[in-house]
Amino acid sequence: MQQEQEQQASAQQAQPQPQQAQETSQDMQQEHIRNIAIIAHVDHGKTTLVDKLLKAAGAFRDNQQVQERILDSNDQERERGITILAKNISIEYQGIKINIIDTPGHADFGGEVERVLKMADAALLLVDAAEGPMPQTRFVLQHAIAANLKILLVINKVDKPAANPENAINQSLDLMMDLGAKDDQLEFTMEHVIYASASLGFARMHPTDTNNDMYPLLNMIVNELPAPNGNPEAPLAMQCVTIDHSDYVGRIGVGRIYAGTIHTGDKIAVVKNDGTSQVATVKQLFTFDYLGKKECSAVGAGDIGAVVGIDHTDIGDVYTSIDNPVHLEPIEIDQPTLSVVFEASTSPLVGRDGDIVGARQLKERLFNEAENNVTMHIEELPDKTGVSVAGRGVLHLSVLMEQMRREGYEFQVGRPQVLFKKDENGSRLEPIEQAVVECSGEYAGKVIEVFGNVGGTMINMKTGKTHTHLDFKIPTRGIMGLKTRVMNVTHGDAVFYHTFLEYGPYAGDISARANGAMISMSTEKAVAYALGTLQDRGTLFIEPGCECYEGMLVGERSRPGDLVVNIAKTKSLGNQRSSTADIAVQLTPPKTFTLEEALEYIIDDELVEVTPLHIRMRKRILNDTERRKWRVRHGMVDK
């Protein structure tokens, strides 16, 4: 024990300077390895492209049945059509191992992107031939350029009728210049362009080529993209960038070996981001092999490995030699911008859908999530009434909620709250987002007005032949619920994207939901006759036969102010019949909400109830009398 403590102390004191570590790790290139990341906007086809690369490299038998978008193994990824978790795979082509990192395209999962790009030496920038680079392309590409990666441009979906590859190339180069790309990065990208259709399975060097395979792209990866630097004989330098978790072995640190070789059974120093260190023993080692991991006895410089045996390992940990420790720069992760409070459900209908409803079980599940998901900050409230979960956006938070409801949990959450910061002068700062809307020119004025009402500022406007492109800067507070309003004023003819931009000055008060809610006065099933009388007063959220309870939101009123309604009212029976007595009540289909839409819709005194089968909105205080008293105490109404 004393010997280990002495070794630990020496590991803390004898760390070389970063420059020394850099010189050590760049002694030679590992020509048998390529590490590449694939970055793109949501739905531009990067996961489909990886499918085709796997098939071209012989990952599957000729007669093997393989599902589409095989890397999107998570149920939510397949349903939403987006990549949520970054994944590592590898293929072998011409005797060279190609480690491929499939990154999320959505800004809410930026914590995944910025870390895994540290394992890559180059990136495939996938751009839709018709749409060109989009806002979330900008978000991921910015990190790749900052990491000084070589960018190989792949113009995808060139088979689209509206495809314009030349325009997509020009827009991509303009974007790279805007993001501060160096001259050598721009030159490399201009000289290395691939024209592809991932869905049809071809990649071509020139638009006029006729080959129907992916080999031109694989050849360019092998022949043109840089090999990783690193000396296998140097002192060990490996940094953990992703945490995997196993119920059997605990945390698994995944990262790239920048120098040296790590072996099973090695005693290594684990240096934390704060400079402290500990001694650990490597119990198991894995490398990535096609779609899985393969256990091995050693992983050398330039490769990506997974290490078992480091207790409480975390993002940014450096695994290095005890005798000759190497210092690497800490990994900084963008901080969360929104938080919600998870509470045990207090609904009158609690327990009807889910099996797990207790506060203790909810807390345990959330703290287990904290073990794997380092991009979220999870902590119990001081008064023990709930657990605060902070993430990068509403989608980021809703993915966790959706996963938990599928596991059988019932819980309630409040309105997402923006996380403010203070600058050096003590002034309040809030997260600002870049929002982009493309719509018909006739609706542009209405869109600008909608953004102006919630603190948005237009920074750019481009008018095309058929559509107008609008760029805005807007506080994150104003983004919540904005997509629905934009779609309403454009009659559904709009494309809306947004991504985190920066922290900026506080923009002042932003008006909440303009209209009031219709609130059920009793716990009963909804009746068609009652709903028929209510639909003239606003928009309904429920249909006949729906289980409702006192305090539950059943619709939106067409004017400000909440309205308590009777959803179980029936028609009075008389001794006479009219000619229209038997005609059924004609009801408009109710408005339904996804989990993200419900989170954005509610206001501060409301909650979203989440169960395996239902998403309901309700008032925090269910009883109308108690609710009125609470509003009086807080000065929200006259006494």
Side-chain angles (χ1 to χ4, degrees):
M1 177 64 71
Q2 183 177 357
Q3 183 179 2
E4 286 191 1
Q5 290 175 345
E6 291 174 357
Q7 290 173 337
Q8 182 173 336
S10 65
Q12 291 178 336
Q13 297 171 1
Q15 293 177 5
Q17 295 302 309
Q19 185 177 359
Q20 294 174 316
Q22 191 73 6
E23 290 173 355
T24 303
S25 63
Q26 292 188 350
D27 288 343
M28 60 184 67
Q29 287 189 315
Q30 303 302 310
E31 294 293 344
H32 63 290
I33 298 175
R34 299 290 184 276
N35 297 319
I36 61 171
I38 299 187
I39 57 179
H41 184 79
V42 174
D43 200 34
H44 277 199
K46 63 182 180 298
T47 307
T48 305
L49 184 76
V50 172
D51 288 355
K52 303 303 182 187
L53 291 175
L54 282 164
K55 292 177 181 178
F60 313 115
R61 301 186 308 273
D62 292 339
N63 63 345
Q64 186 174 351
Q65 296 295 319
V66 181
Q67 64 184 9
E68 293 184 356
R69 293 188 291 114
I70 192 167
L71 280 190
D72 284 347
S73 53
N74 182 296
D75 289 342
Q76 289 193 65
E77 290 180 321
R78 301 191 64 78
E79 292 170 14
R80 296 172 184 261
I82 62 174
T83 299
I84 295 173
L85 301 173
K87 302 174 186 68
N88 293 44
I89 65 167
S90 75
I91 59 178
E92 187 168 327
Y93 181 68
Q94 294 182 354
I96 293 177
K97 180 181 182 181
I98 304 173
N99 288 313
I100 300 176
I101 305 155
D102 183 31
T103 63
H106 201 287
D108 279 15
F109 309 105
E112 293 280 329
V113 174
E114 55 200 311
R115 295 197 315 272
V116 299
L117 287 180
K118 288 184 172 290
M119 296 190 289
D121 301 288
L124 302 188
L125 172 60
L126 206 64
V127 175
D128 189 296
E131 297 180 358
M134 300 298 285
Q136 286 156 15
T137 311
R138 180 188 186 94
F139 167 78
V140 185
L141 183 59
Q142 185 173 12
H143 286 292
I145 290 174
N148 201 30
L149 303 185
K150 298 293 186 184
I151 309 297
L152 170 58
L153 182 59
V154 180
I155 304 300
N156 194 30
K157 303 185 181 182
V158 294
D159 55 309
K160 273 187 173 182
N164 188 343
E166 184 176 351
N167 185 52
I169 293 171
N170 292 334
Q171 289 182 359
S172 300
L173 292 172
D174 289 343
L175 176 59
M176 290 180 65
M177 285 189 286
D178 289 344
L179 296 176
K182 299 177 182 177
D183 290 342
D184 60 330
Q185 287 177 306
L186 290 169
E187 291 174 6
F188 184 90
T189 302
M190 283 189 289
E191 295 171 0
H192 300 86
V193 179
I194 289 288
Y195 303 86
S197 171
S199 59
L200 298 181
F202 68 75
R204 297 168 179 170
M205 298 285 292
H206 303 284
T208 55
D209 289 348
T210 58
N211 67 290
N212 291 309
D213 53 50
M214 302 299 295
Y215 295 119
L217 176 55
L218 286 169
N219 289 333
M220 190 170 284
I221 290 172
V222 168
N223 298 326
E224 302 297 335
L225 295 186
N229 290 313
N231 181 358
E233 305 302 324
L236 175 65
M238 175 181 178
Q239 191 163 35
C240 175
V241 299
T242 303
I243 298 294
D244 202 353
H245 187 270
S246 167
D247 293 337
Y248 302 101
V249 298
R251 284 192 169 194
I252 303 171
V254 179
R256 173 174 163 177
I257 296 88
Y258 295 96
T261 303
I262 187 168
H263 303 83
T264 303
D266 279 355
K267 282 192 176 296
I268 59 173
V270 181
V271 183
K272 301 287 186 179
N273 277 343
D274 61 4
T276 62
S277 66
Q278 65 186 52
V279 174
T281 301
V282 178
K283 295 179 180 177
Q284 283 181 293
L285 272 179
F286 296 88
T287 56
F288 293 91
D289 183 47
Y290 289 98
L291 291 172
K293 295 189 188 80
K294 179 175 68 174
E295 188 168 2
C296 58
S297 59
V299 184
D303 205 350
I304 296 172
V307 180
V308 176
I310 315 298
D311 292 336
H312 308 295
T313 190
D314 212 339
I315 300 299
D317 286 358
V318 177
Y319 307 155
T320 185
S321 166
I322 294 175
D323 299 326
N324 298 293
V326 176
H327 175 68
L328 298 175
E329 290 297 323
I331 293 178
E332 296 182 3
I333 301 174
D334 286 351
Q335 296 300 305
T337 56
L338 287 177
S339 70
V340 296
V341 175
F342 284 67
E343 304 172 5
S345 178
T346 56
S347 163
L349 305 180
V350 64
R352 295 196 182 185
D353 297 343
D355 302 323
I356 311 173
V357 299
R360 178 184 57 80
Q361 296 161 310
L362 179 65
K363 184 175 75 171
E364 288 177 355
R365 171 63 178 83
L366 290 172
F367 280 105
N368 284 337
E369 182 70 21
E371 286 290 313
N372 302 323
N373 196 338
V374 296
T375 61
M376 285 184 170
H377 291 180
I378 300 174
E379 58 184 6
E380 190 172 13
L381 296 180
D383 59 4
K384 310 294 183 183
T385 57
V387 178
S388 173
V389 178
R392 288 294 298 274
V394 173
L395 177 61
H396 190 200
L397 296 167
S398 71
V399 165
L400 171 60
M401 298 176 197
E402 181 65 31
Q403 182 61 37
M404 290 176 62
R405 71 187 289 235
R406 294 180 185 210
E407 295 170 4
Y409 286 84
E410 283 193 30
F411 53 91
Q412 62 192 29
V413 293
R415 186 176 188 233
Q417 300 295 320
V418 167
L419 300 177
F420 296 100
K421 290 184 176 181
K422 289 189 176 181
D423 62 12
E424 297 175 353
N425 301 320
S427 300
R428 185 157 58 159
L429 303 176
E430 68 174 325
I432 305 295
E433 308 216 6
Q434 178 191 11
V436 175
V437 178
E438 290 191 358
C439 63
S440 298
E442 60 182 304
Y443 301 127
K446 294 181 179 179
V447 172
I448 295 171
E449 181 181 353
V450 167
F451 272 84
N453 291 335
V454 289
T457 304
M458 188 174 69
I459 56 177
N460 192 20
M461 179 177 180
K462 294 180 182 177
T463 303
K465 293 181 180 179
T466 59
H467 281 72
T468 299
H469 180 97
L470 302 167
D471 278 338
F472 297 90
K473 288 177 67 174
I474 180 172
T476 299
R477 291 179 295 141
I479 282 287
M480 289 189 284
L482 188 61
K483 184 175 182 179
T484 301
R485 278 173 270 174
V486 169
M487 291 302 174
N488 286 340
V489 299
T490 61
H491 300 279
D493 179 34
V495 179
F496 179 82
Y497 298 104
H498 63 92
T499 181
F500 174 77
L501 185 63
E502 61 188 1
Y503 266 85
Y506 180 66
D509 293 335
I510 294 177
S511 58
R513 190 177 70 219
N515 294 342
M518 289 191 279
I519 306 165
S520 173
M521 66 167 54
S522 59
T523 303
E524 297 179 83
K525 286 187 177 181
V527 174
Y529 177 77
L531 299 184
T533 62
L534 293 175
Q535 68 178 359
D536 295 333
R537 300 188 177 189
T539 304
L540 293 174
F541 302 159
I542 61 172
E543 58 187 0
C546 178
E547 288 270 7
C548 301
Y549 54 83
E550 182 183 11
M552 175 176 159
L553 272 60
V554 295
E556 179 180 317
R557 199 180 178 194
S558 56
R559 61 180 67 182
D562 293 340
L563 178 67
V564 178
V565 299
N566 183 0
I567 47 86
K569 181 180 178 181
T570 56
K571 185 177 181 181
S572 301
L573 298 178
N575 59 359
Q576 294 188 9
R577 296 166 63 99
S578 68
S579 60
T580 60
D582 295 328
I583 297 178
V585 176
Q586 297 295 315
L587 293 175
T588 304
K591 180 180 180 180
T592 58
F593 289 81
T594 64
L595 190 48
E596 298 98 275
E597 290 169 344
L599 290 169
E600 293 177 338
Y601 180 81
I602 61 173
I603 57 178
D604 289 338
D605 70 335
E606 295 170 354
L607 299 170
V608 176
E609 178 194 354
V610 183
T611 80
L613 301 180
H614 296 95
I615 296 170
R616 304 184 183 100
M617 293 176 289
R618 49 162 284 188
K619 287 293 182 180
R620 181 175 289 277
I621 300 174
L622 298 178
N623 182 266
D624 182 48
T625 303
E626 295 298 322
R627 195 161 56 245
R628 289 173 184 270
K629 291 178 180 178
W630 182 88
R631 292 175 65 83
V632 169
R633 287 197 302 270
H634 288 79
M636 301 176 70
V637 293
D638 295 332
K639 293 185 179 180

